[in-house]
Amino acid sequence: MKSSPLILLSTLFFSALVACQDAAATDTNQSVSAQLQEQALSSGLAYDIVESLTVEVGPRLAGSDKDLVAVEWAEKKLGSLGFDKVYKEAVQVPVWQRGEAKANIVSPYAQPLVITALGGSVGTPEEGISAPVVRFETLDALKQADPSLVTGKIVFIDHITPRFKTGKGYGMTVGGRSRGAIAAAEKGALAIVIRSIGTDHDRMAHTGMMRYKDGVDKIPAAAMSNPDADLVTLMLKRDPNVVLHLEMSPKNLGYATSYNVIAEVTGSSKPDEIVLIGAHLDSWDEGTGAIDDGAGVAIVTAAGHYIAQLPVKPARTVRVVLYAAEELGLIGGKSYTKAHQGELAKHYIAAESDFGAGRIYQIDFNVADKAFASVQAHTVSMQDNGVAPGNNKASGGPDVSMLPDYGVPVASLRQDGSDYFDYHHTPNDTLDKIDPEALAQNAAAYAQFAYLMAQSEIELRPLTPKPKKVIPSK
């Protein structure tokens, strides 16, 4: 059948009209994105939120009394910021008390050391443990050692964490913290002390979660400050027979109930489809949890608030999730994934802020290869906020890292983490480490990302299968 000139003209006119409408919609989305950026950069809301959390709650170890204070704080804060819905979901978490940790060199050069218990560690006998130190540069070196060199001694893993903008040095050394006690106990060690997984030179020890293994003796596990690790290494160079005395009184006390706290801005036309932005509410108990992860809580909460205040809500629902017990092994993230498995097919994309408050310099995605160029173009307005396009290899952040296994696309808004591991998991994780302007830039980026994804017409699935990666325990 031949097309008449009239039909052809009508077709061209309709196509041009649709193209104009699509262009207009795109221009509107970018315009709103720019408005969200301007609003966030001129607002002190994100800083006010993290100040409130660190001052009014402070340390909030999962399973502690302060953990539930933080949950109540989050419900009230989210409820005051214009979200359409605020609710919580129960999560079972382990209860661990730090107790005290003391160490000193007995001989040949008697000196005190600064240490802290690693999360989940058992304690020493009341009288403590005194034993020779055996040093290994890495976890792998310990694994390869002859057991006769280790039996009856205190293992010292002296693996230095290098500094990177991306924070990748953490992944190089954290295995000694998480799995060192297992390797040491399998070779007959009495205890293990590691060089802190940190890039600082402060005389503060970095805590963090460690693991035991069924069928392997549970031995006390601690971290010592980086200067003290240097000190012990220099002693061993002078005399290989260094004796360390260790006293620790942490306790594991079963389980308690915590909560994932969730808030939503209901979508205007696709309310059952979800754009998730998250952070974790818990913290370790030695600092006030400002950069880890009070900053993330503030960033995603403020971003959600800015979207909630728009005169026209985005198409999809924007869901803010403040996860429980991330520090103890991504427990809140795993619980959320299980509880929401029936609606994961409706999760359009997810991202988590959990790397402090350094400026975001790049956005990576994990979407279908055919969608990658389109989604980069759709987020082009973020470049005015200093956020450059990145790659298609995002993990999304700790608590959302398991979602791609269920087909959920994720994004990683990359922050400058050059100094993050100076303060991570130490008493030095306090509010003064946060630059309010950098925090506002983060909130702007998350608001832009969440809004643009909530408006997107791009099909982001199916994901391209990627090699399995081990996500380091925090």
Side-chain angles (χ1 to χ4, degrees), residues 27-38:
D27 289 345
T28 299
N29 290 335
Q30 303 306 320
S31 176
V32 173
S33 172
Q35 292 170 22
L36 288 168
Q37 175 188 329
E38 182 179 0

Side-chain angles (χ1 to χ4, degrees), residues 45-227:
L45 176 62
Y47 191 83
D48 291 344
I49 291 170
V50 68
E51 178 186 294
S52 173
L53 178 57
T54 56
V55 172
E56 297 163 27
V57 181
R60 44 201 182 275
L61 183 64
S64 69
D65 292 343
K66 278 294 190 75
D67 183 31
L68 296 181
V69 173
V71 169
E72 182 180 3
W73 172 91
E75 287 185 283
K76 289 181 179 178
K77 185 63 67 175
L78 292 165
S80 71
L81 290 173
F83 290 93
D84 298 316
K85 186 188 299 185
V86 177
Y87 55 102
K88 62 185 180 182
E89 296 177 344
V91 179
Q92 294 303 300
V93 302
V95 179
W96 178 79
Q97 290 182 354
R98 179 170 301 282
E100 295 185 352
K102 300 177 182 178
N104 61 279
I105 298 298
V106 176
S107 63
Y109 311 106
Q111 290 204 45
L113 303 175
V114 174
I115 68 165
T116 191
L118 295 179
S121 176
V122 298
T124 64
E126 188 173 347
E127 67 275 14
I129 295 173
S130 292
V133 173
V134 56
R135 176 186 176 274
F136 298 96
E137 288 193 356
T138 65
L139 174 62
D140 285 342
L142 167 61
K143 289 180 176 180
Q144 294 167 17
D146 189 312
S148 65
L149 299 175
V150 178
T151 300
K153 297 180 180 179
I154 296 175
V155 163
F156 167 41
I157 296 181
D158 191 24
H159 200 167
I160 297 173
T161 302
R163 186 186 301 276
F164 291 95
K165 180 179 182 179
T166 62
K168 71 177 184 178
Y170 180 74
M172 298 175 181
T173 57
V174 71
R177 189 193 73 203
S178 58
R179 302 187 299 277
I182 298 170
E186 287 177 332
K187 294 181 183 294
L190 300 179
I192 183 170
V193 180
I194 67 165
R195 173 187 283 269
S196 281
I197 310 301
T199 50
D200 62 300
H201 300 286
D202 296 318
R203 204 175 190 191
M204 293 187 183
H206 296 238
T207 191
M209 200 65 186
M210 52 80 62
R211 297 283 181 268
Y212 292 118
K213 181 180 177 180
D214 290 343
V216 178
D217 288 343
K218 296 180 178 180
I219 61 173
M224 71 172 70
S225 75
N226 287 315

